[in-house]
């Protein structure tokens, strides 16, 4: 099977929609240039939209920046409780942003770490209301299971604090989610380099969400392209099945089990 | 240049002048700044003690090059690091501080700069704060806008494209009580996405009422955290009660406000200590109320009507830049507002380093937006200004200038939920 065929067959399906791209643009730092680069060079087919930023008058409405054919993923940033998240999601639907929603509930203005308990509650309320719910969460297996039961369409664990570009600080716990949860695991927040995105995809993540890493790059289009290539490389490696990984130092020449006689 | 704050007016009667002079010269004629007045809510909080404990121990001259270098290398800025960054020893490292501050700003805010405008709705004041143009003994044209006038001002501002407004009053409960301000908030919600307040401190339940009327952000300047100096500068009125003012942000958050801002008016006392106190005030507030949004302002003293000799003394642009960089490195998540008190060139420079919010289309007078925004002579009455501004750029020019600096102007990042 050639590379293209793998990509074509290997679609990510969320809320009944099929995505061939596994890069999702986050919403933290928006600009027209960033959205252009994300779509053209990183191949993004889904773009997060902070409803609180879209809810603006004519001067700089982000909705105007979103190209045709790109699925909007409105987020509930600014919400501090499940109820606030539900209100923001409903506002997004009224604004014509569709029925996808990324639940983000933070009660912490310093690190912007998600509140898992409120996130479970919001996921349940929104899933029952017909939303395709993609909750942003701190990677905890029990919470992920609750999110599955609450009707989430995917689970979005953070790799490290948002905006930090620190990479897979929660690697072991994300791996547990990938191994144990049947929904797509989309790694969100903290991915600072293409190599980190690649590593998460090798682990079996379904997609990567990033924003700051691109937004603060020197050459935005080139960095966007690098993310696309890294995500595709990681995905192909995962699908291929990672081969033998040599540990440092040579393998013992005398087998440890040589004493066995049968 | 030493500040001369006391100015007499011919309009004051001999009896009033005598009282004014007694307040100015005789400390025993003044009330205890630590004693709450009737009706002032006292909350249980150790924040003031925690801030002052650090500030009282702070001797900026004790810090060395080495402390500053260490502070710049640390990934997380400790309180000791902050003290080093605010010290005179850090001045030669200003460029490194700016570089580090810029990285932190980019991580947390990208290249965005928020725009807002203040709207003064009344300039009556019952306080005698010797450096302020609104002080009760300063002979200025007083005015309070009625609801029709407020709405007109808001329409003029909203037509410019602005989406965030900061409502301000002088400190007079008698002339501009909470209900009056609440009605103004309700009007503001019709025209703006985000409504902030910079009014006299009120009790928790009054903040709750104002929040329900549409306000969501409360700014209170402590002016100076040096209680002894505070006593010499705020001679009369509710504002004289130092701890009631200090605890305003906590009451606002308990009343349901989404965010708060704090500031010292730099130039009133030892600016390094005041900057430390402001940063720690925000730091401890954030630890106690982690859900709340925090921001800082960094105003310097400005000339006022009837006294053009007021100046920020030893806080020059270099020191102000040092303070703002230190704020950013210590509080990477906090919004930093730089007002039109500062020059166009300073504001253009500081938004590239650390400031995340700037005002535009500013007037500190009452009811004069139409004449200032359209250039047309308005037949509406106007009230005098609180202080002279320096950067008088209009909203559209500010928007364009920010874009030309390679930054992204943002008008609204907010939902009232």
């Amino acid at each position: 099977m050639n590379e293209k065929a793998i990509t074509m067959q290997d679609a990510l399906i969320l809320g009944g929609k099929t995505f061939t791209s596994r890069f999702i643009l986050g919403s933290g730092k928006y600009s027209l240039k960033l959205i252009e680069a994300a779509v053209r060079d990183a191949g993004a087919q889904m773009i997060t939209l902070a409803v609180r930023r879209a809810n603006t008058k004519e001067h700089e409405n982000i909705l105007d920046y979103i190209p045709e054919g790109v699925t909007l993923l409105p987020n509930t940033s600014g919400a501090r409780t499940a109820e606030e998240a539900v209100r923001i999601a409903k506002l997004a639907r009224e604004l014509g942003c569709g029925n996808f929603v990324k639940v983000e509930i933070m009660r912490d203005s310093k690190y912007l770490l998600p509140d898992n308990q409120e996130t479970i509650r919001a996921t349940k309320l929104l899933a029952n209301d017909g939303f395709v719910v993609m909750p942003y969460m701190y990677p905890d297996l029990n919470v992920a299971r609750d999110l599955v039961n609450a009707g989430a369409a995917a689970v979005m664990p953070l790799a490290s604090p948002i905006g930090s570009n620190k990479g897979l600080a929660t690697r072991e716990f994300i791996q547990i989610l990938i191994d144990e949860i049947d929904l797509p695991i989309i790694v969100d927040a903290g991915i600072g380099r293409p190599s980190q995105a690649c590593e998460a995809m090798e682990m079996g993540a379904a997609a990567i969400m990033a924003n700051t890493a691109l937004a603060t790059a020197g050459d935005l289009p080139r960095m966007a392209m690098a993310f696309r290539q890294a995500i595709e490389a990681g995905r192909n490696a995962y699908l291929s099945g990672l081969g033998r990984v040599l540990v440092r130092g040579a393998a013992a020449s005398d087998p440890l089990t040589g004493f066995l006689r049968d | 240049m030493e500040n001369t704050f006391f100015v007499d007016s011919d309009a004051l009667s001999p009896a009033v002048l005598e009282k004014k002079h007694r307040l100015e010269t005789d400390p025993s004629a003044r009330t205890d700044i630590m004693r709450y007045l009737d009706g002032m809510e006292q909350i249980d909080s150790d924040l003031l003690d925690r801030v002052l404990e650090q500030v009282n121990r702070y001797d900026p001259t004790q810090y060395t090059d080495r402390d500053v270098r260490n502070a710049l290398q640390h990934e997380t800025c400790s309180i000791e690091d902050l003290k080093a960054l605010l010290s005179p020893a850090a001045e030669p490292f200003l460029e490194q501080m700016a570089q580090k501050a810029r990285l932190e700003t980019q991580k947390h805010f990208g290249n965005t700069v928020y725009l807002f405008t203040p709207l003064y709705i009344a300039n009556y004041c019952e306080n005698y704060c010797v450096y302020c143009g609104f002080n009760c003994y300063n002979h200025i044209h007083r005015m309070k806008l009625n609801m029709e006038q407020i709405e007109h001002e808001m329409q003029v501002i909203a037509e410019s494209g602005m989406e965030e407004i900061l409502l301000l009053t002088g400190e007079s409960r008698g002339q501009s009580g909470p209900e009056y301000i609440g009605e103004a908030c309700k009007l503001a919600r019709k025209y703006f996405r985000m409504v902030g307040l910079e009014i006299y401190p009120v009790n928790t339940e009054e903040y709750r009422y104002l929040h329900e009327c549409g306000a969501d952000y409360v700014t209170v300047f402590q002016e100076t955290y040096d209680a002894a100096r505070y006593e010499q500068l705020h001679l009369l009125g509710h504002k004289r009660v130092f701890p009631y003012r200090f605890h305003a942000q906590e009451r606002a958050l308990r009343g349901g406000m989404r965010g708060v801002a704090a500031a010292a008016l730099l130039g009133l006392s030892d600016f390094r200590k005041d900057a430390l106190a402001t940063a720690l005030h925000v730091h401890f507030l954030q630890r106690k109320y982690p859900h709340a949004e925090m921001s800082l302002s960094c105003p310097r003293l400005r000339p006022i009507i009837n006294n053009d000799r007021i100046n920020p003394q030893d806080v020059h642009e270099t020191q102000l830049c040092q303070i703002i960089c230190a704020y950013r490195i210590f509080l990477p998540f906090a919004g930093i507002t730089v007002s039109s008190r500062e020059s166009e060139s300073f504001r253009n420079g500081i938004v590239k380093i650390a400031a995340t919010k700037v005002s535009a289309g500013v007037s500190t007078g009452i009811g004069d937006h139409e004449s200032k925004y359209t250039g047309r002579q308005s037949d509406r009455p106007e009230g005098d200004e609180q202080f002279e501004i320096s950067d008088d750029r209009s909203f559209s020019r500010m928007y364009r200038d920010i874009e030309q600096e390679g930054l992204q102007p943002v008008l609204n990042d907010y939902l009232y939920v």
Side-chain angles (χ1 to χ4, degrees), chain B residues 255-410:
Chain B
M257 294 286 176
R258 184 178 199 89
V260 288
L265 181 53
L266 302 168
L268 290 177
S269 182
D270 181 330
F271 72 86
R272 299 184 197 277
K273 288 190 161 203
D274 268 341
L276 175 69
T278 311
L280 291 178
H281 192 177
V282 170
H283 169 76
F284 289 125
L285 274 170
Q286 197 279 333
R287 289 177 82 89
K288 193 165 177 184
Y289 303 91
H291 63 278
E293 290 176 17
M294 295 289 153
S295 66
L296 299 125
S297 296
C298 16
R300 293 191 295 167
L301 271 179
R302 293 284 303 162
I304 62 172
I305 291 178
N306 301 324
N307 191 347
D308 60 5
R309 299 185 302 277
I310 294 182
N311 69 85
Q313 298 196 88
D314 52 350
V315 194
H316 307 289
E317 287 195 351
T318 302
Q319 286 76 32
L320 182 60
C321 182
Q322 181 191 352
I323 290 167
I324 295 172
C325 289
Y327 281 167
R328 170 56 68 225
I329 294 167
F330 181 63
L331 302 164
F333 56 90
I336 297 181
T337 304
V338 177
S339 80
S340 58
R341 292 166 186 262
E342 302 305 329
S343 68
E344 180 174 335
S345 62
F346 185 86
R347 296 216 292 171
N348 283 347
I350 205 71
V351 290
K352 285 189 268 188
I353 300 171
T356 51
K357 201 166 184 177
V358 290
S359 50
V362 174
S363 163
T364 70
I366 318 295
D368 58 2
H369 277 89
E370 178 155 27
S371 56
K372 284 197 171 142
Y373 274 43
T374 63
R376 285 197 303 269
Q377 202 56 39
S378 167
D379 54 3
R380 288 170 174 268
E382 296 179 3
D384 279 341
E385 302 183 341
Q386 187 183 24
F387 56 87
E388 286 180 18
I389 64 169
S390 171
D391 184 354
D392 62 357
R393 275 178 287 178
S394 67
F395 166 69
S396 55
R397 236 198 90 205
M398 182 64 92
Y399 193 97
R400 200 176 58 236
D401 287 357
I402 288 173
E403 278 187 321
Q404 278 171 1
E405 299 285 352
L407 300 166
Q408 192 196 356
V410 176

Side-chain angles (χ1 to χ4, degrees), chain B residues 14-84:
Chain B
V16 171
L17 267 179
E18 195 206 323
K19 183 180 178 190
K20 177 175 180 288
H21 292 158
R22 204 168 56 243
L23 286 170
E24 288 164 357
T25 53
D26 178 8
S28 71
R30 310 194 289 250
T31 57
D32 177 359
I33 62 164
M34 295 299 173
R35 213 183 68 226
Y36 282 68
L37 301 179
D38 285 348
M40 285 183 171
E41 178 189 0
Q42 291 198 47
I43 59 168
D44 182 26
S45 171
D46 64 350
L47 247 62
L48 181 58
D49 293 339
R50 297 178 75 178
V51 169
L52 293 186
E53 191 237 337
Q54 291 287 344
V55 174
N56 292 339
R57 279 195 282 132
Y58 180 43
D59 178 357
T61 63
Q62 294 300 302
Y63 291 83
T64 64
D65 283 13
R66 200 171 145 188
D67 299 321
V68 178
R69 278 182 221 278
N70 286 341
L72 285 168
Q73 278 169 9
H74 292 160
E75 193 175 345
T76 305
C77 181
S78 67
I79 292 174
E80 275 309 300
D81 291 336
L82 170 65
K83 289 176 178 172

Side-chain angles (χ1 to χ4, degrees), chain A residues 191-205:
Chain A
I191 295 290
R193 297 174 197 191
S195 55
Q196 294 159 350
C198 184
E199 185 183 357
M201 294 304 293
E202 275 181 9
M203 286 161 56

Side-chain angles (χ1 to χ4, degrees), chain A residues 8 12 33 37 42 47 50 58 69 77-78 83 87 90 95 97 104 110 120 128 178 184 195 201-202 227 236 248 254:
Chain A
M8 290 305 290
L12 170 64
K33 257 175 29 193
I47 291 184
E58 65 277 7
S77 69
E83 287 70 28
R87 262 143 75 191
K90 286 183 176 171
L95 286 169
C97 298
E104 280 187 31
K110 186 172 182 181
I120 295 166
N128 287 343
I178 290 169
S195 55
M201 294 304 293
E202 275 181 9
F227 263 92
N236 283 324
R248 193 177 287 270
D254 291 330

Side-chain angles (χ1 to χ4, degrees), chain A residues 28-32 50-60 62 65 77-80 84 87-88 91 106-112 162-166 212 216, chain B residues 75 106-112 114 158 160-163 191 193 256-258 283 286-287 289-294 333 395 399 408-415 417:
Chain A
K29 290 108 190 167
Y30 256 125
S31 73
L32 188 52
V51 179
R52 61 181 186 167
R53 279 283 288 282
N55 181 36
T56 190
K57 292 189 272 183
E58 65 277 7
H59 229 283
E60 43 119 44
I62 291 157
Y65 292 178
S77 69
R80 292 169 298 186
E84 288 183 356
R87 262 143 75 191
I88 295 172
L91 178 65
M106 282 98 157
R107 288 189 301 148
D108 169 74
S109 65
K110 186 172 182 181
Y111 301 100
L112 301 177
I162 197 161
S164 70
N165 283 358
K166 283 188 175 169
T212 309
T216 57
Chain B
E75 193 175 345
Q106 284 182 341
K107 273 201 279 184
H108 289 264
F109 298 90
N111 61 354
T112 53
Y114 297 88
S160 76
M162 200 72 84
E163 298 191 16
Y191 294 96
R193 303 282 185 197
M257 294 286 176
R258 184 178 199 89
H283 169 76
Q286 197 279 333
R287 289 177 82 89
Y289 303 91
H291 63 278
E293 290 176 17
M294 295 289 153
F333 56 90
F395 166 69
Y399 193 97
Q408 192 196 356
V410 176
L411 304 179
N412 177 53
D413 188 16
Y414 175 77
L415 268 179
V417 283

Side-chain angles (χ1 to χ4, degrees), chain B residues 133-372:
Chain B
F134 286 172
N135 86 63
C136 64
Y137 290 122
N138 199 26
H139 185 57
I140 60 168
H141 183 215
R142 303 282 170 175
M143 193 176 161
K144 166 189 169 185
L145 298 178
N146 63 32
M147 289 303 142
E148 182 270 326
Q149 291 166 319
I150 291 175
E151 184 152 17
H152 178 74
E153 290 276 285
M154 288 176 178
Q155 282 165 345
V156 172
I157 295 168
E159 273 167 26
S160 76
M162 200 72 84
E163 298 191 16
E164 175 172 340
I165 197 155
L166 176 66
L167 299 180
L168 297 95
T169 60
E171 302 207 356
S172 171
R173 267 186 179 266
Q175 289 288 343
S176 40
E179 295 73 24
Y180 167 75
I181 297 167
E183 291 305 310
C185 290
K186 289 179 194 166
L187 279 179
R189 283 284 299 146
K190 277 169 62 180
Y191 294 96
F192 302 96
R193 303 282 185 197
M194 163 78 169
V195 181
L197 286 179
E198 192 172 328
I199 58 164
Y200 50 89
V202 298
N203 291 343
T204 303
E205 285 313 310
E206 290 166 322
Y207 279 124
R208 192 181 311 285
Y209 162 74
L210 293 168
H211 172 63
E212 283 160 7
C213 291
D216 225 353
Y217 219 98
V218 168
T219 299
V220 180
F221 290 1
Q222 187 64 25
E223 318 297 10
T224 176
Y225 290 81
D226 173 351
R229 186 75 182 129
Y230 191 95
E231 194 280 331
Q232 297 166 347
L233 296 167
H234 306 90
L235 302 181
L236 185 71
H238 280 65
K239 187 164 170 180
R240 199 167 153 73
V241 184
F242 182 83
Y244 184 69
R245 193 169 189 86
F246 180 89
H247 293 302
Q249 283 88 350
E250 271 198 70
R251 294 194 302 274
L253 292 173
R254 292 179 186 193
M257 294 286 176
R258 184 178 199 89
V260 288
L265 181 53
L266 302 168
L268 290 177
S269 182
D270 181 330
F271 72 86
R272 299 184 197 277
K273 288 190 161 203
D274 268 341
L276 175 69
T278 311
L280 291 178
H281 192 177
V282 170
H283 169 76
F284 289 125
L285 274 170
Q286 197 279 333
R287 289 177 82 89
K288 193 165 177 184
Y289 303 91
H291 63 278
E293 290 176 17
M294 295 289 153
S295 66
L296 299 125
S297 296
C298 16
R300 293 191 295 167
L301 271 179
R302 293 284 303 162
I304 62 172
I305 291 178
N306 301 324
N307 191 347
D308 60 5
R309 299 185 302 277
I310 294 182
N311 69 85
Q313 298 196 88
D314 52 350
V315 194
H316 307 289
E317 287 195 351
T318 302
Q319 286 76 32
L320 182 60
C321 182
Q322 181 191 352
I323 290 167
I324 295 172
C325 289
Y327 281 167
R328 170 56 68 225
I329 294 167
F330 181 63
L331 302 164
F333 56 90
I336 297 181
T337 304
V338 177
S339 80
S340 58
R341 292 166 186 262
E342 302 305 329
S343 68
E344 180 174 335
S345 62
F346 185 86
R347 296 216 292 171
N348 283 347
I350 205 71
V351 290
K352 285 189 268 188
I353 300 171
T356 51
K357 201 166 184 177
V358 290
S359 50
V362 174
S363 163
T364 70
I366 318 295
D368 58 2
H369 277 89
E370 178 155 27
S371 56
K372 284 197 171 142

